[in-house]
Amino acid sequence: MTASPFPVLRLKPKANARAIRHGAPWVYDNELVLDRRSKNLQPGTIAVLEDAERNPMGLVAANPLSRITARMIERDVTAPIDQAWFTAKIKRALELRERLFDAPFYRLIHAEADGLPGLVVDRFGDALVVQPNAAWLELLLEPLTAALQSVTGAQVILKNAAGRTRSLEGLDDENAVLLGTAPDAPIMVPMNGAFYAADLTGGQKTGLFYDQRPNHAFAARLSEGAEVLDVFSHVGGFGLAALAGGAKSALCVDGSAPALELAEQGAGKSGFSDRLETRKGDAFDVLEALGQEGAQYDVVICDPPAFAPSKPKLEVGLRAYERLAKMAAPLVREGGYLVLCSCSHAADLGKFRFACTRGIGRAERAGSLIHTGFAGPDHPLMPQLAESGYLKALFYRL
């Protein structure tokens, strides 16, 4: 038998080899025997992972600079990790999205759950935005780009390097054009009966948050004839969906003037301009001001950025969610709806729900929880990786 061309990483005897065999995708630094040779591996090197008895378990992407020192990418230790390998993974991911969606606007690759750890790819028609959030993807960007182009026929592929995890992997934050020419205007994305303006080069993350699509749709069903307040609206996510669902009016609040401008462009393209208002400002300040003005709405939605992006920030984050619920609840009319969202994977559903319910109680309101929403099916969840189930949306009737 020929020797493997890959270096070897070995688990410590006390490491949970069974969990990795059963699909756990991450191996931490304290689970591995790290000698001078393995500590000197170039970040992103493909290696064979062995158990403590030297039985091969699969191919991993190694990064001695990261706490997640090895990411499982392939069970067959003889597989070449090349363009053909990427092509097979991308085809499988595309098959699911084409079954789910009529138009090519969705998350095409959702990292571990699509078998490509650290990789996020969002599709905007014939343009793709790629976030290579792990070192191995940076090393293999050429075959990855070629595979994406051959499978999807994309004309434009952009690299977005803004992911928070890139710094943990020792990577830079330099964006790049990998194929074609970057668009010089926002792309209009049809979703839930509205158009959304996605700025692929200057916007947040990849330009649009596809994960909230089913929650936008559920909120829209509650919004017919309603006055709606969308706080942390970004480019109008919930507000535009509510207007498409027949809302009387929507006020979008965000701290970013460019995001609100994009919300207005989306409203214009959708024919909703006369029903959309925007207000720039810190969300908590605006909520306080609206409370003092005695403003009331039929539907209030708060979709903040991650208040608890990591375990050390969990308690502070939960207090922020509670405060947000306490400030938003008084703005909801009797019999109206309050929607509270979290994209913090460190705050699990139980803790988040407790914080929100407590905040509503502290506002001296009572509410029943009518629906709990999660990310859409183009953001599949890897059951062995709790972090992949990050998005939660709680719908209360007050």
Side-chain angles (χ1 to χ4, degrees), residues 60-61 105 261 386:
V60 292
F105 298 93
E261 209 172 288

Side-chain angles (χ1 to χ4, degrees), residues 188-240:
M188 287 294 169
V189 175
M191 204 158 52
N192 288 321
F195 283 97
Y196 291 83
D199 178 357
L200 304 195
T201 53
Q204 283 182 44
K205 297 286 176 77
T206 62
L208 198 65
F209 296 104
Y210 284 128
D211 52 1
Q212 286 281 27
R213 184 181 339 219
N215 301 320
H216 291 164
F218 194 88
R221 289 173 63 189
L222 305 175
S223 300
E224 191 177 350
E227 293 178 288
V228 175
L229 173 64
D230 179 7
V231 186
F232 302 100
S233 67
H234 188 230
V235 300
F238 280 95
L240 293 177

Side-chain angles (χ1 to χ4, degrees), residues 107-171:
R107 173 147 297 180
L108 173 60
I109 306 286
H110 192 54
E112 279 77 1
D114 283 306
L116 292 163
L119 180 64
V120 166
V121 181
D122 281 347
R123 184 172 191 180
F124 301 88
D126 60 8
L128 302 178
V129 180
V130 177
Q131 281 192 317
N133 293 330
W136 74 285
L137 297 160
E138 202 72 29
L139 289 185
L140 294 169
L141 213 44
E142 275 187 38
L144 168 62
T145 303
L148 282 167
Q149 199 282 326
S150 73
V151 174
T152 66
Q155 306 288 303
V156 177
I157 301 181
L158 306 177
K159 172 187 159 187
N160 179 298
R164 191 179 64 87
T165 46
R166 282 181 63 87
S167 61
L168 303 176
E169 287 274 308
L171 299 172

Side-chain angles (χ1 to χ4, degrees), residues 4 27 82 206 267 278 306 334 346:
S4 165
V27 188
D82 54 13
T206 62
T278 61
E334 181 61 37

